[in-house]
Amino acid sequence: MERDLVDWLQKTLPPHPLLRVGLGDDAAVLSLRQTADLVVTTDSLGDGSHFLLNEAEPRWIGHKCLAANLSDLAAMAAKPVAVVVSVMLPRGHADPLALAKGLYRGMLPLAEQFETIIAGGDTNVWDGPLTVSVTAFGQPTDRGALLRSNARAGDAILVTGELGGSITGRHLDFTPRVAEALLLHQRYDLHAGMDITDGLSLDLSRLCAASGRGALLDAAAIPVSPAAQQLAAADGTDPLHHALSDGEDFELLLTAPRETAEAMLRESPVECGLSIVGEVTARPGMEIREADGHTTTLEPTGFWHG
Amino acid sequence: MERDLVDWLQKTLPPHPLLRVGLGDDAAVLSLRQTADLVVTTDSLGDGSHFLLNEAEPRWIGHKCLAANLSDLAAMAAKPVAVVVSVMLPRGHADPLALAKGLYRGMLPLAEQFETIIAGGDTNVWDGPLTVSVTAFGQPTDRGALLRSNARAGDAILVTGELGGSITGRHLDFTPRVAEALLLHQRYDLHAGMDITDGLSLDLSRLCAASGRGALLDAAAIPVSPAAQQLAAADGTDPLHHALSDGEDFELLLTAPRETAEAMLRESPVECGLSIVGEVTARPGMEIREADGHTTTLEPTGFWHG
Ligand SMILES: [Mg+2]
Ligand SMILES: [Mg+2]
């Protein structure tokens, strides 16, 4: 099976000038240009936790597994260079080879879009459920990697796009905010950043903890997605709660000086949209200013794989 | 759980001058020296396929998962630089945090031994069995990466150590042949190399295929491990069959010009031992010369995860 897949991949994967040795040896060899820093991230996704193999097409599962890792490179404002992919296929599957090809068919267009080498991989058949583990490498720009730990009191807190309700589909078919992160980090003086994978409130609490700061969110300013509105209408909950806690938004969470953030909104340089949703505070802990003007403590709640 | 583990890892992982940003951000940032090539390999290991969680101590499982990846760097004669680790812990486990720490406790001494940064990771709890996915990066020496595809007709075929029977214990507690590979590649004119993970006959067939060559093995010269002898005595099979097919030896399979190989044996530069086990042939296909002088076709058989 692995041999057949490697044969197929060797025919299917496009060549790349930086890929000196690709699939078929013990490891891949990448030829990096004069490089200072290399950004590396890894994420494993499993059937039943991050996707449902009996509901989602393999190519969307593959797309998600690659996109989630590229989103972590975007979170660092790093330009993707390459990924390696490790797949464990369920032995009971009717056609493991077709499943594996389907996963790669979902990854290939995304890799091409972001000029990312699929440099190698490992494929096993086992008695457990499908897992896909991707490791992605990128290179920061001249401005360096965008970290979580550099938010400053008084910074505006920004998010790209709209939040909540990704379970209705977006968690599978999203485009990682790689281009947006590179553009924004290049053009503006961003202080801190990460991607929103586990819900705005939980991820913001992590950014605050890494920076030794707190946050005051403005409820009315949080961009609630139509999907979150629909979910809330269906289950009688608050759409804002979905936007704060659903997770798998794969949007960017950024901080920047107030005047920079206002320039970003004015100039509107990214199609996905940008919102100022609050402010970094000197005092740790999170609060939210409700629509009625009341400010209450915000507990980090979110979707936590673990 | 992941937060607790990350806290523990941040206290436990040693600092490293090349690790600019470690655990706790979206990705790790490695600061590589002026680098030409980067060697990357990935391997996922799962409970029931590569180890048995109810029989092996977590630290030996962790050791194996890291060692298997370092063995692939050794196979390329690349010096290890860093690894990232992605773990999926079984939800039903009595103490997932202790399990995760146990895995890392197995990896830490090995990482230290080979000056390898544990640069980051991802930890999930899920409904499937334990899987550990490691991606390792290395840098080739000035002599470049050692590939499978460069074996030449007339080359001697060498192996390190002894083969077969690793299931009795060595598949868990082996030391990857990193130091040996670097030393041999530096000192001798090696043509091709890989590590033996799926059995000598199957892995040699891959090396031959990659090089467009064949092989003639000398049965009497194959170093059969005591474990293989014991297994054969117990199950009434041929010890040689174990040495050819058992897999998970994690020894090096090398080719070099005959006179070079003889110098290697004479000078005996590695403690694990070296044997010349046959010769690369111009004609594809594998044969084996039996002890009685007869030569028969050798079919690649081995342990194939897939
Ligand atoms: Mg190998
Ligand atoms: Mg992230």
Side-chain angles (χ1 to χ4, degrees), chain A residues 26, chain B residues 71-72 75 148 194-195 197:
Chain A
D26 292 87
Chain B
S71 181
D72 270 326
R148 295 182 181 184
M194 65 185 296
D195 63 334
T197 55

Side-chain angles (χ1 to χ4, degrees), chain B residues 104-115:
Chain B
Y104 277 97
R105 283 205 177 92
M107 289 187 265
L108 282 161
L110 196 59
E112 196 185 339
Q113 180 179 354
F114 293 109
E115 294 169 1

Side-chain angles (χ1 to χ4, degrees), chain A residues 20 25-26 28 30 32 35-38 40-41 43-44 72 86 122 124 126 131 133 135 137 148 194-195, chain B residues 20 25-26 28 30 32 35-41 43-44 72 86 122 124 126 131 133 135 137 148 194-195:
Chain A
R20 181 132 353 153
D25 215 308
D26 292 87
L30 290 171
L32 296 185
T35 180
D37 288 355
L38 185 75
V40 185
T41 184
D43 237 331
S44 286
D72 271 326
S86 196
D122 174 50
N124 293 302
W126 79 320
T131 74
S133 185
T135 300
F137 322 97
R148 294 181 182 187
M194 66 184 297
D195 62 334
Chain B
R20 177 122 8 142
D25 216 306
D26 292 87
L30 290 171
L32 296 185
T35 180
D37 289 354
L38 185 74
V39 179
V40 184
T41 184
D43 237 331
S44 286
D72 270 326
S86 196
D122 173 51
N124 292 301
W126 78 320
T131 74
S133 185
T135 301
F137 321 96
R148 295 182 181 184
M194 65 185 296
D195 63 334

Side-chain angles (χ1 to χ4, degrees), chain B residues 218-242:
Chain B
D218 181 0
I222 293 169
V224 180
S225 75
Q229 314 251 16
Q230 282 163 28
L231 279 184
D235 65 10
T237 53
D238 182 2
L240 183 65
H241 180 76
H242 284 280

